[in-house]
Amino acid sequence: MELSLSTYDSGDHTVLEVGGEVDVYTAPRLREKLVELVEAGARHVVVDLSRVEFLDSTGLGVLVGALKRLRAVNGTFGLVCAHERLLKIFRITALDRVFSLYDSVAAATAAASSDAEPTA
């Protein structure tokens, strides 16, 4: 399955919609896109994983790298992840304690705007 990436702005947030499979073959494209967004000035990024069918350790590494990159510029990074199969990966790896996980883009952008706690 291919990886699809599309972005749009939601207030002062940049939302990156990801679809398909994020694995050793497609993760470099995701990394490039996230680096490009930060270099272009995005400081509040939400990655919507709602349409992701598969996520491996390489993909997790890309997301951790993006989180570090945004923290380095005082930015915020949230993940929309409502599917149990992906949430399980974050729980098993304890990354649910590292990332702000939300059940919708609206929740992620509202929480980042008001410094509320994650909902997922």
PDB file of all heavy atoms in Angstrom, residues 72-110:
ATOM      1  N   ALA A  72      12.595  21.588  19.925  1.00  0.00           N
ATOM      2  CA  ALA A  72      13.800  22.410  19.813  1.00  0.00           C
ATOM      3  C   ALA A  72      13.494  23.839  19.377  1.00  0.00           C
ATOM      4  O   ALA A  72      14.283  24.746  19.637  1.00  0.00           O
ATOM      5  CB  ALA A  72      14.794  21.766  18.851  1.00  0.00           C
ATOM      6  N   VAL A  73      12.341  24.041  18.735  1.00  0.00           N
ATOM      7  CA  VAL A  73      11.952  25.387  18.283  1.00  0.00           C
ATOM      8  C   VAL A  73      10.725  25.882  19.062  1.00  0.00           C
ATOM      9  O   VAL A  73       9.992  26.740  18.588  1.00  0.00           O
ATOM     10  CB  VAL A  73      11.701  25.433  16.755  1.00  0.00           C
ATOM     11  CG1 VAL A  73      12.998  25.166  15.986  1.00  0.00           C
ATOM     12  CG2 VAL A  73      10.601  24.475  16.331  1.00  0.00           C
ATOM     13  N   ASN A  74      10.529  25.304  20.262  1.00  0.00           N
ATOM     14  CA  ASN A  74       9.390  25.667  21.121  1.00  0.00           C
ATOM     15  C   ASN A  74       8.048  25.453  20.449  1.00  0.00           C
ATOM     16  O   ASN A  74       7.113  26.218  20.668  1.00  0.00           O
ATOM     17  CB  ASN A  74       9.526  27.111  21.625  1.00  0.00           C
ATOM     18  CG  ASN A  74      10.721  27.277  22.522  1.00  0.00           C
ATOM     19  OD1 ASN A  74      10.983  26.446  23.379  1.00  0.00           O
ATOM     20  ND2 ASN A  74      11.479  28.339  22.304  1.00  0.00           N
ATOM     21  N   GLY A  75       7.964  24.416  19.640  1.00  0.00           N
ATOM     22  CA  GLY A  75       6.719  24.091  18.959  1.00  0.00           C
ATOM     23  C   GLY A  75       5.935  23.027  19.707  1.00  0.00           C
ATOM     24  O   GLY A  75       6.352  22.548  20.769  1.00  0.00           O
ATOM     25  N   THR A  76       4.797  22.669  19.133  1.00  0.00           N
ATOM     26  CA  THR A  76       3.965  21.603  19.697  1.00  0.00           C
ATOM     27  C   THR A  76       3.751  20.539  18.632  1.00  0.00           C
ATOM     28  O   THR A  76       3.773  20.819  17.437  1.00  0.00           O
ATOM     29  CB  THR A  76       2.596  22.128  20.177  1.00  0.00           C
ATOM     30  OG1 THR A  76       1.884  22.675  19.069  1.00  0.00           O
ATOM     31  CG2 THR A  76       2.761  23.177  21.265  1.00  0.00           C
ATOM     32  N   PHE A  77       3.529  19.308  19.107  1.00  0.00           N
ATOM     33  CA  PHE A  77       3.364  18.181  18.198  1.00  0.00           C
ATOM     34  C   PHE A  77       2.314  17.253  18.788  1.00  0.00           C
ATOM     35  O   PHE A  77       2.488  16.744  19.895  1.00  0.00           O
ATOM     36  CB  PHE A  77       4.700  17.446  18.042  1.00  0.00           C
ATOM     37  CG  PHE A  77       4.703  16.353  17.016  1.00  0.00           C
ATOM     38  CD1 PHE A  77       4.678  16.650  15.673  1.00  0.00           C
ATOM     39  CD2 PHE A  77       4.748  15.021  17.400  1.00  0.00           C
ATOM     40  CE1 PHE A  77       4.703  15.642  14.708  1.00  0.00           C
ATOM     41  CE2 PHE A  77       4.775  14.000  16.461  1.00  0.00           C
ATOM     42  CZ  PHE A  77       4.749  14.317  15.108  1.00  0.00           C
ATOM     43  N   GLY A  78       1.232  17.065  18.071  1.00  0.00           N
ATOM     44  CA  GLY A  78       0.178  16.171  18.529  1.00  0.00           C
ATOM     45  C   GLY A  78      -0.119  15.115  17.483  1.00  0.00           C
ATOM     46  O   GLY A  78       0.088  15.334  16.284  1.00  0.00           O
ATOM     47  N   LEU A  79      -0.595  13.975  17.959  1.00  0.00           N
ATOM     48  CA  LEU A  79      -0.956  12.882  17.065  1.00  0.00           C
ATOM     49  C   LEU A  79      -2.435  12.569  17.220  1.00  0.00           C
ATOM     50  O   LEU A  79      -2.917  12.409  18.343  1.00  0.00           O
ATOM     51  CB  LEU A  79      -0.160  11.615  17.399  1.00  0.00           C
ATOM     52  CG  LEU A  79       1.349  11.669  17.223  1.00  0.00           C
ATOM     53  CD1 LEU A  79       1.975  10.361  17.694  1.00  0.00           C
ATOM     54  CD2 LEU A  79       1.714  11.940  15.774  1.00  0.00           C
ATOM     55  N   VAL A  80      -3.136  12.474  16.087  1.00  0.00           N
ATOM     56  CA  VAL A  80      -4.514  12.005  16.100  1.00  0.00           C
ATOM     57  C   VAL A  80      -4.449  10.512  15.854  1.00  0.00           C
ATOM     58  O   VAL A  80      -3.998  10.064  14.798  1.00  0.00           O
ATOM     59  CB  VAL A  80      -5.371  12.716  15.029  1.00  0.00           C
ATOM     60  CG1 VAL A  80      -6.765  12.113  14.988  1.00  0.00           C
ATOM     61  CG2 VAL A  80      -5.418  14.208  15.302  1.00  0.00           C
ATOM     62  N   CYS A  81      -4.866   9.755  16.860  1.00  0.00           N
ATOM     63  CA  CYS A  81      -4.748   8.305  16.802  1.00  0.00           C
ATOM     64  C   CYS A  81      -5.900   7.711  17.593  1.00  0.00           C
ATOM     65  O   CYS A  81      -5.821   7.593  18.815  1.00  0.00           O
ATOM     66  CB  CYS A  81      -3.406   7.882  17.391  1.00  0.00           C
ATOM     67  SG  CYS A  81      -3.114   6.128  17.319  1.00  0.00           S
ATOM     68  N   ALA A  82      -6.966   7.359  16.910  1.00  0.00           N
ATOM     69  CA  ALA A  82      -8.149   6.845  17.592  1.00  0.00           C
ATOM     70  C   ALA A  82      -8.344   5.349  17.398  1.00  0.00           C
ATOM     71  O   ALA A  82      -9.188   4.757  18.063  1.00  0.00           O
ATOM     72  CB  ALA A  82      -9.388   7.599  17.104  1.00  0.00           C
ATOM     73  N   HIS A  83      -7.569   4.733  16.508  1.00  0.00           N
ATOM     74  CA  HIS A  83      -7.742   3.314  16.240  1.00  0.00           C
ATOM     75  C   HIS A  83      -6.974   2.476  17.258  1.00  0.00           C
ATOM     76  O   HIS A  83      -5.782   2.705  17.495  1.00  0.00           O
ATOM     77  CB  HIS A  83      -7.267   2.965  14.825  1.00  0.00           C
ATOM     78  CG  HIS A  83      -8.061   3.636  13.752  1.00  0.00           C
ATOM     79  ND1 HIS A  83      -9.411   3.404  13.580  1.00  0.00           N
ATOM     80  CD2 HIS A  83      -7.705   4.543  12.816  1.00  0.00           C
ATOM     81  CE1 HIS A  83      -9.841   4.140  12.572  1.00  0.00           C
ATOM     82  NE2 HIS A  83      -8.835   4.844  12.096  1.00  0.00           N
ATOM     83  N   GLU A  84      -7.639   1.509  17.820  1.00  0.00           N
ATOM     84  CA  GLU A  84      -7.046   0.681  18.866  1.00  0.00           C
ATOM     85  C   GLU A  84      -5.763  -0.018  18.397  1.00  0.00           C
ATOM     86  O   GLU A  84      -4.815  -0.146  19.158  1.00  0.00           O
ATOM     87  CB  GLU A  84      -8.062  -0.349  19.366  1.00  0.00           C
ATOM     88  CG  GLU A  84      -7.570  -1.179  20.521  1.00  0.00           C
ATOM     89  CD  GLU A  84      -7.147  -0.370  21.743  1.00  0.00           C
ATOM     90  OE1 GLU A  84      -7.768   0.679  22.019  1.00  0.00           O
ATOM     91  OE2 GLU A  84      -6.180  -0.775  22.412  1.00  0.00           O
ATOM     92  N   ARG A  85      -5.711  -0.436  17.130  1.00  0.00           N
ATOM     93  CA  ARG A  85      -4.517  -1.158  16.664  1.00  0.00           C
ATOM     94  C   ARG A  85      -3.273  -0.273  16.715  1.00  0.00           C
ATOM     95  O   ARG A  85      -2.176  -0.766  16.977  1.00  0.00           O
ATOM     96  CB  ARG A  85      -4.738  -1.724  15.260  1.00  0.00           C
ATOM     97  CG  ARG A  85      -4.837  -0.686  14.166  1.00  0.00           C
ATOM     98  CD  ARG A  85      -5.098  -1.319  12.803  1.00  0.00           C
ATOM     99  NE  ARG A  85      -5.210  -0.321  11.781  1.00  0.00           N
ATOM    100  CZ  ARG A  85      -6.298   0.415  11.539  1.00  0.00           C
ATOM    101  NH1 ARG A  85      -7.372   0.247  12.269  1.00  0.00           N
ATOM    102  NH2 ARG A  85      -6.301   1.318  10.577  1.00  0.00           N
ATOM    103  N   LEU A  86      -3.431   1.025  16.482  1.00  0.00           N
ATOM    104  CA  LEU A  86      -2.285   1.929  16.586  1.00  0.00           C
ATOM    105  C   LEU A  86      -2.050   2.354  18.032  1.00  0.00           C
ATOM    106  O   LEU A  86      -0.901   2.449  18.474  1.00  0.00           O
ATOM    107  CB  LEU A  86      -2.483   3.165  15.708  1.00  0.00           C
ATOM    108  CG  LEU A  86      -2.459   2.942  14.198  1.00  0.00           C
ATOM    109  CD1 LEU A  86      -2.595   4.256  13.467  1.00  0.00           C
ATOM    110  CD2 LEU A  86      -1.212   2.223  13.755  1.00  0.00           C
ATOM    111  N   LEU A  87      -3.114   2.599  18.778  1.00  0.00           N
ATOM    112  CA  LEU A  87      -2.962   2.976  20.184  1.00  0.00           C
ATOM    113  C   LEU A  87      -2.204   1.901  20.951  1.00  0.00           C
ATOM    114  O   LEU A  87      -1.399   2.205  21.830  1.00  0.00           O
ATOM    115  CB  LEU A  87      -4.327   3.225  20.825  1.00  0.00           C
ATOM    116  CG  LEU A  87      -5.030   4.511  20.407  1.00  0.00           C
ATOM    117  CD1 LEU A  87      -6.465   4.524  20.914  1.00  0.00           C
ATOM    118  CD2 LEU A  87      -4.266   5.724  20.900  1.00  0.00           C
ATOM    119  N   LYS A  88      -2.450   0.653  20.602  1.00  0.00           N
ATOM    120  CA  LYS A  88      -1.775  -0.475  21.257  1.00  0.00           C
ATOM    121  C   LYS A  88      -0.255  -0.379  21.059  1.00  0.00           C
ATOM    122  O   LYS A  88       0.511  -0.627  21.988  1.00  0.00           O
ATOM    123  CB  LYS A  88      -2.311  -1.791  20.698  1.00  0.00           C
ATOM    124  CG  LYS A  88      -1.775  -3.012  21.379  1.00  0.00           C
ATOM    125  CD  LYS A  88      -2.457  -4.262  20.832  1.00  0.00           C
ATOM    126  CE  LYS A  88      -1.931  -5.501  21.517  1.00  0.00           C
ATOM    127  NZ  LYS A  88      -2.577  -6.717  21.025  1.00  0.00           N
ATOM    128  N   ILE A  89       0.174   0.005  19.865  1.00  0.00           N
ATOM    129  CA  ILE A  89       1.603   0.164  19.580  1.00  0.00           C
ATOM    130  C   ILE A  89       2.198   1.247  20.470  1.00  0.00           C
ATOM    131  O   ILE A  89       3.273   1.066  21.045  1.00  0.00           O
ATOM    132  CB  ILE A  89       1.833   0.502  18.085  1.00  0.00           C
ATOM    133  CG1 ILE A  89       1.415  -0.664  17.204  1.00  0.00           C
ATOM    134  CG2 ILE A  89       3.292   0.891  17.835  1.00  0.00           C
ATOM    135  CD1 ILE A  89       1.315  -0.325  15.728  1.00  0.00           C
ATOM    136  N   PHE A  90       1.485   2.361  20.611  1.00  0.00           N
ATOM    137  CA  PHE A  90       1.987   3.447  21.459  1.00  0.00           C
ATOM    138  C   PHE A  90       2.041   3.018  22.926  1.00  0.00           C
ATOM    139  O   PHE A  90       2.971   3.376  23.647  1.00  0.00           O
ATOM    140  CB  PHE A  90       1.134   4.707  21.277  1.00  0.00           C
ATOM    141  CG  PHE A  90       1.390   5.392  19.968  1.00  0.00           C
ATOM    142  CD1 PHE A  90       0.523   5.228  18.905  1.00  0.00           C
ATOM    143  CD2 PHE A  90       2.510   6.189  19.782  1.00  0.00           C
ATOM    144  CE1 PHE A  90       0.755   5.848  17.686  1.00  0.00           C
ATOM    145  CE2 PHE A  90       2.762   6.813  18.566  1.00  0.00           C
ATOM    146  CZ  PHE A  90       1.885   6.639  17.518  1.00  0.00           C
ATOM    147  N   ARG A  91       1.046   2.243  23.375  1.00  0.00           N
ATOM    148  CA  ARG A  91       1.041   1.771  24.762  1.00  0.00           C
ATOM    149  C   ARG A  91       2.168   0.769  25.014  1.00  0.00           C
ATOM    150  O   ARG A  91       2.876   0.861  26.021  1.00  0.00           O
ATOM    151  CB  ARG A  91      -0.308   1.153  25.114  1.00  0.00           C
ATOM    152  CG  ARG A  91      -1.381   2.188  25.376  1.00  0.00           C
ATOM    153  CD  ARG A  91      -2.586   1.592  26.068  1.00  0.00           C
ATOM    154  NE  ARG A  91      -3.376   0.716  25.219  1.00  0.00           N
ATOM    155  CZ  ARG A  91      -4.373   1.120  24.435  1.00  0.00           C
ATOM    156  NH1 ARG A  91      -4.722   2.390  24.398  1.00  0.00           N
ATOM    157  NH2 ARG A  91      -5.033   0.262  23.706  1.00  0.00           N
ATOM    158  N   ILE A  92       2.339  -0.187  24.116  1.00  0.00           N
ATOM    159  CA  ILE A  92       3.371  -1.225  24.287  1.00  0.00           C
ATOM    160  C   ILE A  92       4.765  -0.604  24.355  1.00  0.00           C
ATOM    161  O   ILE A  92       5.615  -1.053  25.129  1.00  0.00           O
ATOM    162  CB  ILE A  92       3.291  -2.267  23.149  1.00  0.00           C
ATOM    163  CG1 ILE A  92       2.047  -3.122  23.325  1.00  0.00           C
ATOM    164  CG2 ILE A  92       4.547  -3.127  23.081  1.00  0.00           C
ATOM    165  CD1 ILE A  92       1.744  -4.023  22.142  1.00  0.00           C
ATOM    166  N   THR A  93       5.009   0.411  23.565  1.00  0.00           N
ATOM    167  CA  THR A  93       6.321   1.059  23.514  1.00  0.00           C
ATOM    168  C   THR A  93       6.461   2.180  24.542  1.00  0.00           C
ATOM    169  O   THR A  93       7.510   2.814  24.612  1.00  0.00           O
ATOM    170  CB  THR A  93       6.573   1.643  22.109  1.00  0.00           C
ATOM    171  OG1 THR A  93       5.539   2.594  21.805  1.00  0.00           O
ATOM    172  CG2 THR A  93       6.615   0.556  21.056  1.00  0.00           C
ATOM    173  N   ALA A  94       5.397   2.429  25.315  1.00  0.00           N
ATOM    174  CA  ALA A  94       5.340   3.512  26.312  1.00  0.00           C
ATOM    175  C   ALA A  94       5.408   4.893  25.668  1.00  0.00           C
ATOM    176  O   ALA A  94       5.606   5.890  26.352  1.00  0.00           O
ATOM    177  CB  ALA A  94       6.415   3.348  27.381  1.00  0.00           C
ATOM    178  N   LEU A  95       5.225   4.954  24.361  1.00  0.00           N
ATOM    179  CA  LEU A  95       5.235   6.252  23.687  1.00  0.00           C
ATOM    180  C   LEU A  95       3.934   7.025  23.914  1.00  0.00           C
ATOM    181  O   LEU A  95       3.864   8.206  23.611  1.00  0.00           O
ATOM    182  CB  LEU A  95       5.517   6.078  22.186  1.00  0.00           C
ATOM    183  CG  LEU A  95       6.957   5.688  21.862  1.00  0.00           C
ATOM    184  CD1 LEU A  95       7.110   5.380  20.379  1.00  0.00           C
ATOM    185  CD2 LEU A  95       7.928   6.784  22.285  1.00  0.00           C
ATOM    186  N   ASP A  96       2.936   6.359  24.496  1.00  0.00           N
ATOM    187  CA  ASP A  96       1.714   7.081  24.851  1.00  0.00           C
ATOM    188  C   ASP A  96       1.997   8.064  25.983  1.00  0.00           C
ATOM    189  O   ASP A  96       1.217   8.986  26.215  1.00  0.00           O
ATOM    190  CB  ASP A  96       0.585   6.117  25.231  1.00  0.00           C
ATOM    191  CG  ASP A  96       0.915   5.247  26.432  1.00  0.00           C
ATOM    192  OD1 ASP A  96       2.118   4.984  26.697  1.00  0.00           O
ATOM    193  OD2 ASP A  96      -0.041   4.796  27.104  1.00  0.00           O
ATOM    194  N   ARG A  97       3.128   7.912  26.657  1.00  0.00           N
ATOM    195  CA  ARG A  97       3.535   8.849  27.708  1.00  0.00           C
ATOM    196  C   ARG A  97       4.405   9.964  27.153  1.00  0.00           C
ATOM    197  O   ARG A  97       4.671  10.942  27.846  1.00  0.00           O
ATOM    198  CB  ARG A  97       4.277   8.105  28.807  1.00  0.00           C
ATOM    199  CG  ARG A  97       3.403   7.075  29.485  1.00  0.00           C
ATOM    200  CD  ARG A  97       4.121   6.420  30.637  1.00  0.00           C
ATOM    201  NE  ARG A  97       3.437   5.184  30.959  1.00  0.00           N
ATOM    202  CZ  ARG A  97       4.042   4.053  31.245  1.00  0.00           C
ATOM    203  NH1 ARG A  97       5.352   3.997  31.255  1.00  0.00           N
ATOM    204  NH2 ARG A  97       3.344   2.982  31.531  1.00  0.00           N
ATOM    205  N   VAL A  98       4.866   9.797  25.928  1.00  0.00           N
ATOM    206  CA  VAL A  98       5.752  10.775  25.291  1.00  0.00           C
ATOM    207  C   VAL A  98       4.960  11.713  24.386  1.00  0.00           C
ATOM    208  O   VAL A  98       5.155  12.929  24.404  1.00  0.00           O
ATOM    209  CB  VAL A  98       6.845  10.054  24.477  1.00  0.00           C
ATOM    210  CG1 VAL A  98       7.697  11.036  23.688  1.00  0.00           C
ATOM    211  CG2 VAL A  98       7.701   9.189  25.394  1.00  0.00           C
ATOM    212  N   PHE A  99       4.057  11.136  23.611  1.00  0.00           N
ATOM    213  CA  PHE A  99       3.262  11.911  22.662  1.00  0.00           C
ATOM    214  C   PHE A  99       1.953  12.376  23.284  1.00  0.00           C
ATOM    215  O   PHE A  99       1.400  11.706  24.149  1.00  0.00           O
ATOM    216  CB  PHE A  99       2.914  11.068  21.425  1.00  0.00           C
ATOM    217  CG  PHE A  99       4.075  10.779  20.538  1.00  0.00           C
ATOM    218  CD1 PHE A  99       4.614   9.504  20.480  1.00  0.00           C
ATOM    219  CD2 PHE A  99       4.633  11.769  19.742  1.00  0.00           C
ATOM    220  CE1 PHE A  99       5.694   9.221  19.654  1.00  0.00           C
ATOM    221  CE2 PHE A  99       5.710  11.495  18.916  1.00  0.00           C
ATOM    222  CZ  PHE A  99       6.237  10.225  18.873  1.00  0.00           C
ATOM    223  N   SER A 100       1.461  13.497  22.780  1.00  0.00           N
ATOM    224  CA  SER A 100       0.094  13.924  23.073  1.00  0.00           C
ATOM    225  C   SER A 100      -0.784  13.266  22.027  1.00  0.00           C
ATOM    226  O   SER A 100      -0.667  13.558  20.835  1.00  0.00           O
ATOM    227  CB  SER A 100      -0.014  15.445  22.978  1.00  0.00           C
ATOM    228  OG  SER A 100       0.802  16.061  23.949  1.00  0.00           O
ATOM    229  N   LEU A 101      -1.641  12.337  22.478  1.00  0.00           N
ATOM    230  CA  LEU A 101      -2.513  11.588  21.575  1.00  0.00           C
ATOM    231  C   LEU A 101      -3.944  12.090  21.712  1.00  0.00           C
ATOM    232  O   LEU A 101      -4.429  12.286  22.833  1.00  0.00           O
ATOM    233  CB  LEU A 101      -2.467  10.088  21.908  1.00  0.00           C
ATOM    234  CG  LEU A 101      -1.107   9.416  21.790  1.00  0.00           C
ATOM    235  CD1 LEU A 101      -1.162   7.997  22.340  1.00  0.00           C
ATOM    236  CD2 LEU A 101      -0.637   9.406  20.346  1.00  0.00           C
ATOM    237  N   TYR A 102      -4.604  12.266  20.569  1.00  0.00           N
ATOM    238  CA  TYR A 102      -5.966  12.797  20.539  1.00  0.00           C
ATOM    239  C   TYR A 102      -6.839  11.912  19.657  1.00  0.00           C
ATOM    240  O   TYR A 102      -6.340  11.206  18.791  1.00  0.00           O
ATOM    241  CB  TYR A 102      -5.966  14.230  20.002  1.00  0.00           C
ATOM    242  CG  TYR A 102      -5.091  15.144  20.819  1.00  0.00           C
ATOM    243  CD1 TYR A 102      -3.769  15.364  20.460  1.00  0.00           C
ATOM    244  CD2 TYR A 102      -5.587  15.764  21.959  1.00  0.00           C
ATOM    245  CE1 TYR A 102      -2.954  16.187  21.214  1.00  0.00           C
ATOM    246  CE2 TYR A 102      -4.780  16.593  22.721  1.00  0.00           C
ATOM    247  CZ  TYR A 102      -3.465  16.794  22.352  1.00  0.00           C
ATOM    248  OH  TYR A 102      -2.656  17.598  23.110  1.00  0.00           O
ATOM    249  N   ASP A 103      -8.158  12.023  19.864  1.00  0.00           N
ATOM    250  CA  ASP A 103      -9.066  11.217  19.058  1.00  0.00           C
ATOM    251  C   ASP A 103      -9.583  11.948  17.832  1.00  0.00           C
ATOM    252  O   ASP A 103     -10.281  11.354  17.014  1.00  0.00           O
ATOM    253  CB  ASP A 103     -10.223  10.663  19.901  1.00  0.00           C
ATOM    254  CG  ASP A 103     -11.018  11.748  20.592  1.00  0.00           C
ATOM    255  OD1 ASP A 103     -10.776  12.945  20.348  1.00  0.00           O
ATOM    256  OD2 ASP A 103     -11.892  11.391  21.407  1.00  0.00           O
ATOM    257  N   SER A 104      -9.249  13.239  17.681  1.00  0.00           N
ATOM    258  CA  SER A 104      -9.662  13.987  16.490  1.00  0.00           C
ATOM    259  C   SER A 104      -8.744  15.190  16.294  1.00  0.00           C
ATOM    260  O   SER A 104      -8.081  15.643  17.241  1.00  0.00           O
ATOM    261  CB  SER A 104     -11.109  14.477  16.630  1.00  0.00           C
ATOM    262  OG  SER A 104     -11.192  15.488  17.619  1.00  0.00           O
ATOM    263  N   VAL A 105      -8.733  15.712  15.078  1.00  0.00           N
ATOM    264  CA  VAL A 105      -7.956  16.913  14.786  1.00  0.00           C
ATOM    265  C   VAL A 105      -8.487  18.082  15.607  1.00  0.00           C
ATOM    266  O   VAL A 105      -7.719  18.870  16.167  1.00  0.00           O
ATOM    267  CB  VAL A 105      -7.978  17.238  13.272  1.00  0.00           C
ATOM    268  CG1 VAL A 105      -7.360  18.608  12.999  1.00  0.00           C
ATOM    269  CG2 VAL A 105      -7.252  16.153  12.484  1.00  0.00           C
ATOM    270  N   ALA A 106      -9.807  18.177  15.723  1.00  0.00           N
ATOM    271  CA  ALA A 106     -10.408  19.273  16.500  1.00  0.00           C
ATOM    272  C   ALA A 106      -9.931  19.233  17.948  1.00  0.00           C
ATOM    273  O   ALA A 106      -9.607  20.276  18.532  1.00  0.00           O
ATOM    274  CB  ALA A 106     -11.926  19.203  16.420  1.00  0.00           C
ATOM    275  N   ALA A 107      -9.887  18.047  18.531  1.00  0.00           N
ATOM    276  CA  ALA A 107      -9.425  17.921  19.916  1.00  0.00           C
ATOM    277  C   ALA A 107      -7.951  18.305  20.036  1.00  0.00           C
ATOM    278  O   ALA A 107      -7.553  18.965  21.000  1.00  0.00           O
ATOM    279  CB  ALA A 107      -9.640  16.496  20.416  1.00  0.00           C
ATOM    280  N   ALA A 108      -7.156  17.911  19.059  1.00  0.00           N
ATOM    281  CA  ALA A 108      -5.725  18.209  19.104  1.00  0.00           C
ATOM    282  C   ALA A 108      -5.470  19.708  18.981  1.00  0.00           C
ATOM    283  O   ALA A 108      -4.661  20.266  19.724  1.00  0.00           O
ATOM    284  CB  ALA A 108      -5.000  17.459  17.988  1.00  0.00           C
ATOM    285  N   THR A 109      -6.154  20.362  18.061  1.00  0.00           N
ATOM    286  CA  THR A 109      -5.917  21.802  17.881  1.00  0.00           C
ATOM    287  C   THR A 109      -6.498  22.600  19.043  1.00  0.00           C
ATOM    288  O   THR A 109      -5.905  23.572  19.482  1.00  0.00           O
ATOM    289  CB  THR A 109      -6.480  22.309  16.537  1.00  0.00           C
ATOM    290  OG1 THR A 109      -7.871  22.018  16.470  1.00  0.00           O
ATOM    291  CG2 THR A 109      -5.755  21.673  15.374  1.00  0.00           C
ATOM    292  N   ALA A 110      -7.621  22.167  19.584  1.00  0.00           N
ATOM    293  CA  ALA A 110      -8.213  22.870  20.729  1.00  0.00           C
ATOM    294  C   ALA A 110      -7.330  22.707  21.966  1.00  0.00           C
ATOM    295  O   ALA A 110      -7.115  23.657  22.707  1.00  0.00           O
ATOM    296  CB  ALA A 110      -9.622  22.341  21.010  1.00  0.00           C
TER     297      ALA A 110
END
